Amino acid sequence: MKFRHVRAIAVFGIAIVALTGARGSHGASCGGSSHSSSSSSSSGGSGGGSSTSGSSGSDSTSGTSGTSSSSGGTTTGGTSRDKAERDIKIDSCKLDSSGKNLVARLTVTNSGSLDQTYSITMKFNPAAGSSAVAAQARVTGLKVKAGASAQTEATAPYTGKGDGSEYKECVVSTASKSSL
C-alpha cells in the first residue's frame, strides 16, 4: 500500500472518532427502537437505584450533556463532571413494555482502583416541535467495585398518550461519584 493510502485511511479514522466520540455514549435515542450494544460486564457491582434526589459525592457535578460538541482548547485532566460521566454508558433509552415509564438502561464501569458510589440524573429530551415536557430520572447510591461494571436503570413516569416517540433522546444530566 502506498503512503498516501495509509495517510488517507488515518485521516478517515480520525474523522470517525471525532464524529462518534471516543469516550463512550452519552446520549441515546428514545424513538422506541432498541439501540443496544453487546457488552459484557464484570461481576462485583451491586446495582440499585432510588428516586430520591441529591448526592453525597466528592466529584459532584451538574449541567447538561448529550450531543457532541467541541472546543478549540485542550483540557488536561478534565473536570470532576467528566470523571464520573465518562464511566457511564447508555445502553438503551425507550418506553417500557407497560407503556407507563421511560427507561434508560445504563452500564457504569469503574476503571479506578477504589470502590465508588455513583449518583446519576438522566434527562429525557422531547423532539423539536413536540409538546412533551422533558422528564428526569435519578439513580442514587449505585455501588461499583474497583475494576468492575454494574448495570442499572433510570426510570421516569411517562405522562404521554403515545408510544414514547415524542422523546428524541436521553442524556446524562448530572453525574457524581465518591469513594466508599
Side-chain angles (χ1 to χ4, degrees):
M1 205 187 272
K2 293 186 178 189
F3 181 70
R4 66 181 175 180
H5 293 122
V6 173
R7 185 173 58 196
I9 291 171
V11 169
F12 180 75
I14 291 171
I16 294 293
V17 169
L19 291 173
T20 60
R23 288 195 170 182
S25 174
H26 294 289
S29 170
C30 287
S33 62
S34 176
H35 294 288
S36 62
S37 61
S38 63
S39 64
S40 60
S41 62
S42 304
S43 63
S46 60
S50 150
S51 61
T52 59
S53 63
S55 62
S56 60
S58 58
D59 282 344
S60 180
T61 57
S62 64
T64 58
S65 173
T67 57
S68 61
S69 63
S70 61
S71 63
T74 303
T75 304
T76 306
T79 64
S80 59
R81 170 185 178 70
D82 293 335
K83 291 177 184 177
E85 193 173 295
R86 71 175 153 224
D87 293 350
I88 303 165
K89 178 180 168 245
I90 300 171
D91 297 320
S92 68
C93 177
K94 61 184 178 180
L95 190 64
D96 69 0
S97 60
S98 72
K100 295 181 180 181
N101 295 301
L102 295 167
V103 179
R105 294 195 177 158
L106 311 171
T107 299
V108 180
T109 303
N110 178 4
S111 57
S113 59
L114 299 173
D115 294 353
Q116 299 285 337
T117 300
Y118 290 83
S119 293
I120 305 162
T121 302
M122 297 298 297
K123 184 175 180 183
F124 296 86
N125 291 322
S130 170
S131 62
V133 177
Q136 287 191 343
R138 290 185 174 87
V139 174
T140 58
L142 176 66
K143 296 175 182 170
V144 184
K145 293 186 180 279
S149 294
Q151 293 182 325
T152 190
E153 293 181 346
T155 304
Y158 176 62
T159 57
K161 296 181 182 8
D163 62 359
S165 61
E166 67 270 26
Y167 287 93
K168 179 182 144 190
E169 66 178 353
C170 63
V171 295
V172 174
S173 178
T174 64
S176 65
K177 65 181 178 178
S178 62
S179 299
L180 295 177

